[in-house]
Amino acid sequence: MADDSPVKSQQLPSHTHIAIVGSGFSGLGAAVNLEEAGHRDFVVLERGDDVGGTWRDNTYPGAACDVPSHLYSYSFALNPNWTRSFSTQPEIEEYIRRVGRRAGVLDRHVFGCAVTRAVWREERRHWELSTSHGTMTADVLIGAFGALAEPSLPDIPGIDDFDGALFHSAQWDHDADLTGKRVAVIGTGASAIQLVPAIADTVSHIDVYQRTAPWLLPRFDRPFTRVERWAFRNIPGVLRLARAGIYAARETQVVGLAKNPRLMKAFELISRAKIRTEIKDPELRRKVTPNFRIGCKRMLIANDWYPALDREHVDLITEGIREVDGSAIVTKDGTAREVDAIIVATGFHVTDSPMFDRICGSDGRSLSQTFADKGMRAYKGTTVAGYPNLFVLVGPNTGLGHTSMVYMIESQLNYIVDAVNTMKSRGITRIDVRQDVQDAYNDELQRKLAGSVWMTGGCASWYLDAHGNNTTLWPDFTFRFRRQTRRFDLDSYETSLDIDASTARAKGTVRGFN
Ligand code: NAP
């Protein structure tokens, strides 16, 4: 099958053993890993028309990854053909599509299928799913809906009545012709700093609305030479070596970020030097210099952001936005700036994903209701007490700013596949993580986070929830997460057995059942 061949969507089954919601890096990875472990009875429900998740959706100009591709890829599908050190969105999307087609799991995908509700039915011990294609049930539910999937739109008075093109960076309107247009970009996060330089030559003017200046570091991006690509393809071990080198180099950042924030000062010096060399205008230098410790918010890497801001036809506006009036954005000082298009690059609903409203556990409460008291909490970022047979990929405190999320996803996948295998081999039909185990796990996480730069660095970031808790980031070396998730720890769970497993129960081979 050609790599770009169209996918054929399957019918929604009435029941499946395992339902996976979403087919980005995590959901597709789950499908491939389950298939390899010999599980055939699963279905992937994907609201889009192909695999790829965030890399399918974020098609804004300049979109690229901040983690080198030799690390930001599946360990089971290393790619010797990456064309450059930091791949662009089209190349990553193409990679994921190719993995999906080659792994032979697309025949278990239902595309264009949005899950609107998932309710655990205790009496039947299964999940009942409502989807845009109808209803179905599943014994096990894997939530792979992603943390960066639901665009967050700014609540600016009048913006809905704006007289021009208006879209989010993650929902780029490719029909909107920006040639020669006056454009406003709201936000200066990872997406904005890529798209502004990419459209700067096309448009006549850009107003960039900055609420908080980000810290920037150099981007060591370059095309691979032909010799390097030949070596990646032909010399055994070179790809793995490259990957290990990138992994080790990135992991050293954890020492400063999580353990000793004072060490981050060295990065600040590099970033300040970058501002001095890349911007001529002293007033602009002042505006782009952050007022918090580097690392507190995600550190960004770019070589074209400051030069773009320094251009004649690009203005950085730091007065807050008051409203949108007709075709003008009005700042709090009363200045109105006319534009033809507004691009909102304001990030995603991470700690308040709409999917949390749709998943209801054994007491009927949604994940949002459960998370309302203390914020998002899970065990090993994967299971949540009161939500039997649910596994969440990229769940609470599994996020990273410095290295590859694919590494965390594959760690979770080890754990989930081992859990499913364990359930099958022991005749267990229901697992639910013990509340005391989950609480102890989270207390330890928060203790580790307390001294980190994300908590002490003096910034507000999407890493923190409404309670000020950091429920998004993993606060340690990632190999420690890999170690924690190597095996499914049945003792941490309350379990129920299949009726057919009564013999095993009589023999006492299953621990902790109720
Ligand atoms: P983001 O990092 O959350 O940045 C959102 C930006 O919008 C921030 O500058 C924020 O300001 C601003 N903003 C939010 N609401 C606003 C409002 N109401 N008025 C004015 N400004 C507002 O979002 P993102 O840039 O889309 O990136 C999200 C995440 O996606 C990244 O952290 C990263 O994990 C991932 N990502 C990665 C890459 C990459 O690998 N290269 C590229 C894009 C995205 P404040 O700082 O003041 O909140």
Side-chain angles (χ1 to χ4, degrees):
M1 189 189 287
D3 289 339
D4 59 351
S5 54
V7 289
K8 185 173 173 297
S9 191
Q10 303 304 309
Q11 298 287 320
L12 192 75
S14 57
H15 180 79
T16 184
H17 182 41
I18 304 168
I20 302 167
V21 182
S23 195
F25 255 113
S26 57
L28 179 62
V32 174
N33 277 254
L34 286 169
E35 174 88 4
E36 280 189 355
H39 299 277
R40 301 280 180 269
D41 188 8
F42 65 83
V43 64
V44 188
L45 309 174
E46 167 54 55
R47 67 180 176 181
D49 58 6
D50 208 330
V51 300
T54 194
W55 294 104
R56 179 202 59 215
D57 294 344
N58 281 266
T59 59
Y60 61 79
C65 191
D66 281 355
V67 178
S69 294
H70 283 306
L71 184 60
Y72 194 85
S73 44
Y74 294 116
S75 63
F76 57 80
L78 298 188
N79 178 16
N81 299 318
W82 295 117
T83 59
R84 50 189 317 119
S85 49
F86 291 86
S87 296
T88 58
Q89 174 271 333
E91 203 170 344
I92 300 170
E93 184 188 12
E94 161 60 18
Y95 165 79
I96 303 176
R97 286 159 59 103
R98 200 166 54 237
V99 171
R101 282 155 178 78
R102 291 194 178 165
V105 293
L106 295 192
D107 59 348
R108 254 70 49 76
H109 277 65
V110 186
F111 289 104
C113 180
V115 174
T116 51
R117 206 164 165 75
V119 181
W120 173 254
R121 295 293 178 207
E122 189 62 62
E123 63 292 354
R124 308 212 167 167
R125 287 192 193 164
H126 66 207
W127 285 94
E128 204 170 271
L129 306 180
S130 306
T131 80
S132 53
H133 284 27
T135 57
M136 66 170 293
T137 55
D139 304 317
V140 172
L141 181 62
I142 298 180
F145 35 78
L148 303 173
E150 301 290 344
S152 169
L153 301 170
D155 189 12
I156 298 170
I159 196 164
D160 292 337
D161 300 321
F162 173 63
D163 283 343
L166 168 71
F167 48 88
H168 190 278
S169 53
Q171 295 167 331
W172 194 267
D173 181 353
H174 291 277
D175 292 333
D177 182 7
L178 299 179
T179 314
K181 298 280 167 52
R182 294 162 304 169
V183 176
V185 176
I186 303 178
T188 51
S191 303
I193 68 145
Q194 293 183 331
L195 74 88
V196 167
I199 62 170
D201 284 336
T202 311
V203 303
S204 66
H205 187 89
I206 312 182
D207 290 328
V208 178
Y209 288 86
Q210 171 182 280
R211 193 163 68 177
T212 313
W215 283 108
L216 244 76
L217 292 168
R219 186 177 180 89
F220 297 108
D221 186 18
R222 64 175 181 86
F224 287 124
T225 62
R226 287 171 69 177
V227 174
E228 282 172 311
R229 291 173 66 183
W230 179 88
F232 290 140
R233 263 196 302 274
N234 296 301
I235 305 180
V238 166
L239 263 183
R240 296 253 169 226
L241 199 64
R243 191 174 164 91
I246 300 164
Y247 175 79
R250 299 223 146 212
E251 210 61 5
T252 57
Q253 288 186 25
V254 175
V255 179
L257 290 165
K259 316 229 178 253
N260 192 348
R262 275 181 309 170
L263 297 176
M264 297 306 290
K265 196 103 181 103
F267 288 103
E268 258 173 54
L269 294 176
I270 298 169
S271 194
R272 284 179 195 280
K274 194 171 164 61
I275 294 171
R276 279 196 306 277
T277 51
E278 292 179 3
I279 296 180
K280 290 188 291 293
D281 175 6
E283 174 58 11
L284 183 58
R285 283 182 185 168
R286 188 190 60 74
K287 283 182 176 177
V288 301
T289 304
N291 56 3
F292 55 88
R293 170 73 20 115
I294 193 170
C296 182
K297 289 166 100 77
R298 187 183 159 109
M299 293 183 283
L300 306 182
I301 54 170
N303 300 333
D304 49 4
W305 171 244
Y306 292 143
L309 293 183
D310 210 20
R311 291 176 68 169
E312 276 298 308
H313 71 304
V314 180
D315 288 335
L316 183 69
I317 294 149
T318 52
E319 291 80 26
I321 298 172
R322 188 175 77 196
E323 61 177 334
V324 173
D325 182 10
S327 57
I329 295 186
V330 186
T331 44
K332 288 184 177 147
D333 60 357
T335 309
R337 294 176 178 84
E338 297 277 334
V339 282
D340 304 304
I342 300 178
I343 297 161
V344 288
T346 45
F348 300 86
H349 288 283
V350 179
T351 56
D352 57 346
S353 165
M355 278 308 287
F356 297 160
D357 293 331
R358 300 179 196 151
I359 299 177
C360 298
S362 49
D363 62 0
R365 276 158 58 95
S366 66
L367 277 173
S368 321
Q369 288 170 317
T370 299
F371 291 160
D373 309 334
K374 294 183 176 169
M376 301 193 295
R377 283 160 82 94
Y379 178 57
K380 299 188 176 178
T382 311
T383 50
V384 184
Y387 295 79
N389 298 6
L390 170 69
F391 300 95
V392 184
L393 284 159
V394 195
N397 292 106
T398 59
L400 305 169
H402 67 291
T403 189
S404 172
M405 275 310 294
V406 184
Y407 183 87
M408 296 299 272
I409 290 168
E410 287 198 48
S411 304
Q412 289 191 280
L413 291 176
N414 286 340
Y415 190 73
I416 295 171
V417 171
D418 198 34
V420 174
N421 287 343
T422 305
M423 290 171 77
K424 190 174 175 189
S425 64
R426 299 187 181 220
I428 298 168
T429 53
R430 179 188 189 277
I431 56 154
D432 190 3
V433 66
R434 284 166 34 201
Q435 187 71 53
D436 61 317
V437 171
Q438 180 177 297
D439 289 346
Y441 177 82
N442 280 276
D443 291 348
E444 174 64 8
L445 273 183
Q446 293 305 322
R447 194 190 58 70
K448 281 191 178 165
L449 279 161
S452 71
V453 72
W454 308 299
M455 306 303 285
T456 62
C459 72
S461 75
W462 63 257
Y463 294 155
L464 310 184
D465 66 12
H467 307 278
N469 294 322
N470 188 326
T471 54
T472 52
L473 290 183
W474 172 249
D476 208 334
F477 296 106
T478 58
F479 56 77
R480 295 222 165 109
F481 186 72
R482 174 66 53 105
R483 215 179 289 153
Q484 275 189 8
T485 48
R486 198 170 294 283
R487 289 256 163 275
F488 180 64
D489 44 343
L490 188 61
D491 287 345
S492 301
Y493 290 79
E494 290 166 2
T495 60
S496 305
L497 294 169
D498 195 335
I499 294 159
D500 297 339
S502 50
T503 327
R505 178 165 39 187
K507 287 180 187 163
T509 51
V510 177
R511 288 161 294 175
F513 58 83
N514 54 21

